[in-house]
Amino acid sequence: MPTQGAQAAKPDNWELESKRRELLKAFYHSRSQLGGEVETDDGDSDWEDETDSDESDPYGEKADAAWDKLDAAIQRNPARYVKRLRQLWEQRVRHEKNKELEDLTSHISGFSQSLEDYLHPDDIDEPSEEGRRMATFRDLYRAGLTAVCELFVQEDDFFQEREDWISEVLRIIGQIVQWGTIETEDLGNWPAIYGILRLTRITCANVWANRERLLDDEKSIVYGNQNGLRISVAQILFELDLLQDNNDPAIRKDIRSTKIDVRRLEFFVWISGSPPNDLNRAFFGRETFIPVAMSDTLFGKVLETFAEDPADPKNRTREARMHAFLRDDVLSVYGAEKFMHRLNASLRESRLDMPLEGLLSMIWEVAIYPVVTPHLQTYGTYIAIREVCDRQALHGDTEVDQCLVLAQALWIYRRTFTHQPAAEIAYIVRNCNVIELIARYVRLYATLGHQAATGGTDPTKPLHIVQMYASFAEITNLRSGKNTLRKTMRNTLRQDWYPTLHVLRTQRDDKLWRGKHRKQLTDLLIAWTALGTSIGLDEETERRDYEREVKRMSMVCAWKECKYHTEKPPTSLHSCKGCGEVKYCSRDCQRKDWIDGEHKARCRRIKDASSGRTGVLQLH
Ligand SMILES: [Zn+2]
Ligand SMILES: [Zn+2]
């Protein structure tokens, strides 16, 4: 093994790495605290350490002393205990409780958990308890812990051993893979990566062969409502994904191939899990503790593996590889229903202050494949996307975030508009009221300016989105007969067309649009005007109606169920302090409109995300 410099240079992505480690630390911490509360199917004592119920040691004092003694012995001579671990394993009674083996495994797992505190190479030799424990884990690793773990998971009957021992072994392996990042990136010992990758591949191959053990069933140890083994396996995969490439082509190739090797398992872990729902949030505590097994991180990592495949014999494109995977390893194996329902669950359970845009962009990545697209309608994904847009607007997210999410959602719908049969487009028009989303997006875009609304990317996106609807409107116009679809399109567009046109016109003179992006707004204005005309809306009529409505609204209570919504109230009205655009006859009506009438989503005050709702509820 090459000797290490006394102090490794900080990697380039130091800040990012530190953040991730802090998050992981928080996660492990939450898990270790939960250790005592793990549930088994019937609460029998199988899971408990036998020493806990030892009658001669009611307070566990002897057990504590014995634990400390073994810990100290391991710290004094780590290499000896790696050998001992192997010996105990060779002498074990298969599939039975082997107390000494299990105890030693728990101790080593305990040392491996010290990496929770790791932030910098200097931490390892700190003269503190944590520093010493990290150093012990390093020495266990260097004394061949990887090879011993490899022996364990190589056995075909590894998964027939006792579940709590399996669980500890998988935890240690996860920590060895994490150590891989430290050993290579921080300490510069890149050749160490081969052994760690091999251990990962062997582990994952065995897990794959026994993957039904990761499913939720009566017998498994669960955290919240999540299978404990699945969480441990997810952690190994997550650590693998954090292993970085370096410039050595052989290392690069081995990392890529390993990630490709395990992606079927990674997908399995993702699709078998559920996103963090209320039960799991309650169980795991704060959102940052939610284990990776319950997030969409693994799905995202699977998608990343298609970029480059050194072993692809046909040297196909990324798209061809991904298409084959979706067809052969997803749809044929799990069926479209299960896949789409898992995606819908993520949309429905998504925390709105988490990166929803990322989830939508993953959905877009798979939705564009003809083997997937038709299922978006069948299994309700179009509706789930529509709902998440509304939920996000109501949640009071910033306008910039709303705009990014709308753009991504509309981009998924656009795929259908450009590639799917008219019946499917009509479904979206009718059931998702997509024109209302487009209008909302166009207004946000015009108000925020190109830079803020798009992050400076893809200058033609808004125009493409308006045009997708316009082209379909043109086709619909040509249809003969009763043409109820045209009527629907006209009625839904009418509500938003002139108000949006008004915003576009007003914004054109704003200083936001003085620069090089002015053309984008002008083009958008032309396209939006043409859309209305093509669907039979007359600007003069719509303007008069709009102005009449604005005037009427200034004289009545804005809450639609108030009796003074249609007739002039006897007393004077008060404006919404947030936007000044609507008036109410009473506080009660304002509160109802804010919550039930969803004024919360429309009120301009939302622009300032820091303002609480109570501020808006004050009347003039
Ligand atoms: Zn009222
Ligand atoms: Zn308001």
Side-chain angles (χ1 to χ4, degrees), residues 49-61:
D49 195 324
E50 274 178 3
T51 50
D52 288 351
S53 51
D54 187 346
E55 275 172 33
S56 66
D57 185 21
Y59 303 106
E61 283 163 351

Side-chain angles (χ1 to χ4, degrees), residues 557-559 562-565 584-586 589:
C557 176
W559 171 232
C562 175
K563 81 185 263 233
Y564 300 121
H565 183 59
Y584 299 99
C585 72
S586 65
C589 280

Side-chain angles (χ1 to χ4, degrees), residues 489-507:
M489 289 182 90
R490 188 172 185 277
N491 288 343
T492 48
L493 176 62
R494 241 200 112 192
Q495 296 170 24
D496 285 297
W497 184 63
Y498 189 81
T500 306
L501 193 63
H502 185 68
V503 171
L504 284 168
R505 290 238 170 87
T506 319
Q507 284 303 108

